[in-house]
Tab-separated table of all heavy atoms in Angstrom:
chain	number	residue	atom	x	y	z
E	53	PRO	N	-15.871	32.833	-14.134
E	53	PRO	CA	-17.156	32.386	-13.590
E	53	PRO	C	-17.466	30.930	-13.926
E	53	PRO	O	-17.101	30.459	-15.003
E	53	PRO	CB	-18.165	33.320	-14.269
E	53	PRO	CG	-17.483	33.779	-15.518
E	53	PRO	CD	-16.014	33.797	-15.227
E	55	GLY	N	-20.978	29.275	-13.885
E	55	GLY	CA	-22.341	29.691	-13.601
E	55	GLY	C	-22.294	31.096	-13.018
E	55	GLY	O	-21.284	31.799	-13.129
E	141	ASP	N	-24.410	22.334	-5.477
E	141	ASP	CA	-23.275	22.305	-6.409
E	141	ASP	C	-21.964	22.045	-5.684
E	141	ASP	O	-21.133	21.259	-6.142
E	141	ASP	CB	-23.161	23.645	-7.156
E	141	ASP	CG	-24.233	23.772	-8.231
E	141	ASP	OD1	-25.049	22.845	-8.361
E	141	ASP	OD2	-24.248	24.804	-8.922
E	145	HIS	N	-20.391	18.282	-7.866
E	145	HIS	CA	-19.179	18.367	-8.688
E	145	HIS	C	-18.416	19.667	-8.481
E	145	HIS	O	-17.268	19.781	-8.901
E	145	HIS	CB	-19.536	18.240	-10.165
E	145	HIS	CG	-20.418	17.078	-10.464
E	145	HIS	ND1	-19.982	15.784	-10.306
E	145	HIS	CD2	-21.706	16.987	-10.882
E	145	HIS	CE1	-20.967	14.957	-10.637
E	145	HIS	NE2	-22.022	15.664	-10.981
E	166	ASN	N	0.895	0.575	-18.087
E	166	ASN	CA	1.290	0.499	-19.493
E	166	ASN	C	2.788	0.269	-19.627
E	166	ASN	O	3.244	-0.471	-20.501
E	166	ASN	CB	0.887	1.792	-20.214
E	166	ASN	CG	1.045	1.691	-21.714
E	166	ASN	OD1	0.520	0.769	-22.338
E	166	ASN	ND2	1.790	2.624	-22.293
E	192	ARG	N	-15.980	0.041	-0.896
E	192	ARG	CA	-15.103	-0.902	-0.178
E	192	ARG	C	-14.645	-2.061	-1.047
E	192	ARG	O	-13.569	-2.607	-0.822
E	192	ARG	CB	-15.785	-1.425	1.090
E	192	ARG	CG	-16.903	-2.401	0.852
E	192	ARG	CD	-17.331	-3.108	2.126
E	192	ARG	NE	-17.921	-2.192	3.092
E	192	ARG	CZ	-19.128	-1.622	2.966
E	192	ARG	NH1	-19.843	-1.853	1.885
E	192	ARG	NH2	-19.602	-0.841	3.900
E	193	ALA	N	-15.465	-2.433	-2.039
E	193	ALA	CA	-15.110	-3.588	-2.872
E	193	ALA	C	-13.880	-3.323	-3.730
E	193	ALA	O	-13.326	-4.248	-4.327
E	193	ALA	CB	-16.293	-3.992	-3.763
E	195	ARG	N	-11.122	-1.857	-2.401
E	195	ARG	CA	-9.936	-1.720	-1.535
E	195	ARG	C	-8.814	-2.643	-1.960
E	195	ARG	O	-7.651	-2.267	-1.989
E	195	ARG	CB	-10.319	-2.038	-0.086
E	195	ARG	CG	-11.013	-0.913	0.622
E	195	ARG	CD	-11.392	-1.336	2.051
E	195	ARG	NE	-12.332	-0.379	2.600
E	195	ARG	CZ	-13.300	-0.679	3.471
E	195	ARG	NH1	-13.448	-1.935	3.888
E	195	ARG	NH2	-14.098	0.258	3.917
E	198	THR	N	-7.348	-7.467	-7.857
E	198	THR	CA	-6.272	-7.892	-8.757
E	198	THR	C	-6.629	-7.373	-10.139
E	198	THR	O	-7.784	-7.442	-10.569
E	198	THR	CB	-6.090	-9.425	-8.788
E	198	THR	OG1	-7.340	-10.031	-9.067
E	198	THR	CG2	-5.565	-9.940	-7.477
E	200	GLY	N	-5.135	-6.538	-14.405
E	200	GLY	CA	-4.290	-7.080	-15.468
E	200	GLY	C	-4.602	-8.523	-15.817
E	200	GLY	O	-3.768	-9.214	-16.407
E	205	THR	N	-3.007	-9.555	-23.753
E	205	THR	CA	-3.371	-8.264	-24.355
E	205	THR	C	-3.949	-7.307	-23.326
E	205	THR	O	-4.228	-6.152	-23.644
E	205	THR	CB	-4.405	-8.443	-25.486
E	205	THR	OG1	-5.579	-9.049	-24.925
E	205	THR	CG2	-3.853	-9.283	-26.612
E	236	LYS	N	4.113	21.165	-10.561
E	236	LYS	CA	4.781	20.242	-11.487
E	236	LYS	C	6.032	19.639	-10.859
E	236	LYS	O	6.284	18.425	-10.992
E	236	LYS	CB	5.115	20.953	-12.802
E	236	LYS	CG	5.651	20.023	-13.872
E	236	LYS	CD	5.479	20.558	-15.281
E	236	LYS	CE	6.531	21.573	-15.654
E	236	LYS	NZ	6.405	21.983	-17.076
E	267	LEU	N	-3.588	18.533	-16.634
E	267	LEU	CA	-4.891	18.078	-16.135
E	267	LEU	C	-5.316	18.837	-14.882
E	267	LEU	O	-6.496	18.883	-14.551
E	267	LEU	CB	-4.857	16.571	-15.853
E	267	LEU	CG	-4.874	15.671	-17.097
E	267	LEU	CD1	-4.577	14.225	-16.724
E	267	LEU	CD2	-6.243	15.758	-17.791
E	269	LYS	N	-4.451	22.126	-14.246
E	269	LYS	CA	-4.199	23.562	-14.438
E	269	LYS	C	-5.338	24.434	-13.908
E	269	LYS	O	-5.107	25.557	-13.483
E	269	LYS	CB	-3.913	23.877	-15.906
E	269	LYS	CG	-5.149	23.868	-16.804
E	269	LYS	CD	-4.822	24.211	-18.250
E	269	LYS	CE	-6.015	24.059	-19.189
E	269	LYS	NZ	-7.152	24.925	-18.952
E	564	ASP	N	-33.094	12.955	-4.396
E	564	ASP	CA	-33.944	12.951	-5.595
E	564	ASP	C	-33.991	14.349	-6.198
E	564	ASP	O	-33.483	15.315	-5.607
E	564	ASP	CB	-35.354	12.458	-5.246
E	564	ASP	CG	-36.096	11.900	-6.466
E	564	ASP	OD1	-35.526	11.887	-7.574
E	564	ASP	OD2	-37.250	11.465	-6.296
E	565	ILE	N	-34.565	14.448	-7.386
E	565	ILE	CA	-34.695	15.718	-8.097
E	565	ILE	C	-36.002	15.672	-8.881
E	565	ILE	O	-36.383	14.614	-9.388
E	565	ILE	CB	-33.468	15.949	-9.025
E	565	ILE	CG1	-33.474	17.356	-9.633
E	565	ILE	CG2	-33.347	14.886	-10.091
E	565	ILE	CD1	-32.141	17.757	-10.269
G	38	PRO	N	-22.396	30.529	-17.749
G	38	PRO	CA	-21.016	30.603	-18.235
G	38	PRO	C	-20.084	29.648	-17.485
G	38	PRO	O	-20.257	29.404	-16.295
G	38	PRO	CB	-20.620	32.059	-17.947
G	38	PRO	CG	-21.527	32.495	-16.847
G	38	PRO	CD	-22.810	31.732	-17.013
G	40	GLY	N	-16.218	29.907	-17.301
G	40	GLY	CA	-15.199	30.807	-17.803
G	40	GLY	C	-15.852	31.778	-18.772
G	40	GLY	O	-17.081	31.915	-18.806
G	126	ASP	N	-9.299	23.192	-23.355
G	126	ASP	CA	-10.350	22.925	-22.376
G	126	ASP	C	-11.321	21.862	-22.875
G	126	ASP	O	-11.709	20.958	-22.123
G	126	ASP	CB	-11.126	24.206	-22.063
G	126	ASP	CG	-10.328	25.153	-21.185
G	126	ASP	OD1	-9.188	24.804	-20.841
G	126	ASP	OD2	-10.848	26.233	-20.843
G	130	HIS	N	-11.083	18.704	-19.507
G	130	HIS	CA	-12.269	18.448	-18.660
G	130	HIS	C	-13.531	19.104	-19.191
G	130	HIS	O	-14.615	18.767	-18.746
G	130	HIS	CB	-12.002	18.967	-17.247
G	130	HIS	CG	-10.710	18.511	-16.670
G	130	HIS	ND1	-10.476	17.185	-16.393
G	130	HIS	CD2	-9.575	19.170	-16.327
G	130	HIS	CE1	-9.250	17.056	-15.898
G	130	HIS	NE2	-8.682	18.244	-15.856
G	151	ASN	N	-22.291	-2.769	-2.585
G	151	ASN	CA	-22.714	-2.575	-1.204
G	151	ASN	C	-23.934	-3.424	-0.888
G	151	ASN	O	-24.064	-3.976	0.209
G	151	ASN	CB	-23.024	-1.090	-0.966
G	151	ASN	CG	-23.228	-0.774	0.501
G	151	ASN	OD1	-22.367	-1.079	1.325
G	151	ASN	ND2	-24.365	-0.181	0.834
G	177	ARG	N	-5.832	-0.621	-20.071
G	177	ARG	CA	-6.105	-2.025	-20.383
G	177	ARG	C	-6.014	-2.930	-19.164
G	177	ARG	O	-6.687	-3.955	-19.117
G	177	ARG	CB	-5.160	-2.539	-21.469
G	177	ARG	CG	-3.744	-2.747	-21.042
G	177	ARG	CD	-2.929	-3.514	-22.055
G	177	ARG	NE	-2.757	-2.807	-23.308
G	177	ARG	CZ	-1.976	-1.716	-23.468
G	177	ARG	NH1	-1.314	-1.208	-22.440
G	177	ARG	NH2	-1.872	-1.145	-24.628
G	178	ALA	N	-5.218	-2.539	-18.166
G	178	ALA	CA	-5.051	-3.403	-16.992
G	178	ALA	C	-6.331	-3.500	-16.169
G	178	ALA	O	-6.437	-4.338	-15.283
G	178	ALA	CB	-3.890	-2.899	-16.123
G	183	THR	N	-10.433	-8.703	-10.430
G	183	THR	CA	-11.264	-9.278	-9.368
G	183	THR	C	-11.316	-8.258	-8.253
G	183	THR	O	-10.313	-7.622	-7.916
G	183	THR	CB	-10.715	-10.614	-8.842
G	183	THR	OG1	-9.349	-10.429	-8.473
G	183	THR	CG2	-10.801	-11.696	-9.890
G	185	GLY	N	-13.353	-6.952	-4.331
G	185	GLY	CA	-13.930	-7.462	-3.091
G	185	GLY	C	-13.005	-8.398	-2.340
G	185	GLY	O	-13.465	-9.177	-1.494
G	190	THR	N	-14.545	-7.524	5.607
G	190	THR	CA	-14.888	-6.103	5.738
G	190	THR	C	-14.755	-5.361	4.412
G	190	THR	O	-15.066	-4.179	4.333
G	190	THR	CB	-13.984	-5.398	6.777
G	190	THR	OG1	-12.628	-5.502	6.342
G	190	THR	CG2	-14.151	-5.994	8.145
G	221	LYS	N	-34.210	10.392	-15.851
G	221	LYS	CA	-34.432	9.596	-14.630
G	221	LYS	C	-35.196	8.314	-14.945
G	221	LYS	O	-34.859	7.241	-14.431
G	221	LYS	CB	-35.166	10.436	-13.577
G	221	LYS	CG	-35.282	9.748	-12.235
G	221	LYS	CD	-35.486	10.717	-11.088
G	221	LYS	CE	-36.924	11.139	-10.945
G	221	LYS	NZ	-37.116	12.013	-9.756
G	252	LEU	N	-26.669	13.731	-9.923
G	252	LEU	CA	-25.270	13.816	-10.362
G	252	LEU	C	-25.155	14.240	-11.830
G	252	LEU	O	-24.122	14.739	-12.250
G	252	LEU	CB	-24.569	12.471	-10.158
G	252	LEU	CG	-24.219	12.124	-8.707
G	252	LEU	CD1	-23.792	10.665	-8.585
G	252	LEU	CD2	-23.115	13.045	-8.184
G	254	LYS	N	-27.416	16.357	-13.365
G	254	LYS	CA	-28.331	17.489	-13.613
G	254	LYS	C	-27.691	18.576	-14.471
G	254	LYS	O	-28.397	19.270	-15.213
G	254	LYS	CB	-28.848	18.075	-12.292
G	254	LYS	CG	-27.828	18.940	-11.544
G	254	LYS	CD	-28.395	19.491	-10.248
G	254	LYS	CE	-27.350	20.215	-9.413
G	254	LYS	NZ	-26.755	21.408	-10.004
G	549	ASP	N	2.856	19.207	-22.127
G	549	ASP	CA	3.523	19.973	-21.062
G	549	ASP	C	2.849	21.335	-20.932
G	549	ASP	O	2.012	21.723	-21.748
G	549	ASP	CB	5.016	20.126	-21.366
G	549	ASP	CG	5.828	20.388	-20.092
G	549	ASP	OD1	5.244	20.442	-18.990
G	549	ASP	OD2	7.058	20.532	-20.207
G	550	ILE	N	3.218	22.054	-19.886
G	550	ILE	CA	2.674	23.381	-19.624
G	550	ILE	C	3.775	24.206	-18.967
G	550	ILE	O	4.567	23.678	-18.176
G	550	ILE	CB	1.413	23.282	-18.723
G	550	ILE	CG1	0.702	24.637	-18.572
G	550	ILE	CG2	1.718	22.667	-17.367
G	550	ILE	CD1	-0.697	24.544	-17.987
Side-chain angles (χ1 to χ4, degrees):
Chain E
D141 285 1
H145 311 294
N166 190 53
R192 73 167 65 72
R195 281 178 194 148
T198 53
T205 60
K236 187 158 80 175
L267 286 169
K269 75 179 174 63
D564 203 0
I565 188 166
Chain G
D126 286 0
H130 310 294
N151 190 54
R177 72 168 65 71
T183 53
T190 60
K221 187 157 82 176
L252 286 168
K254 76 180 173 63
D549 203 0
I550 187 166

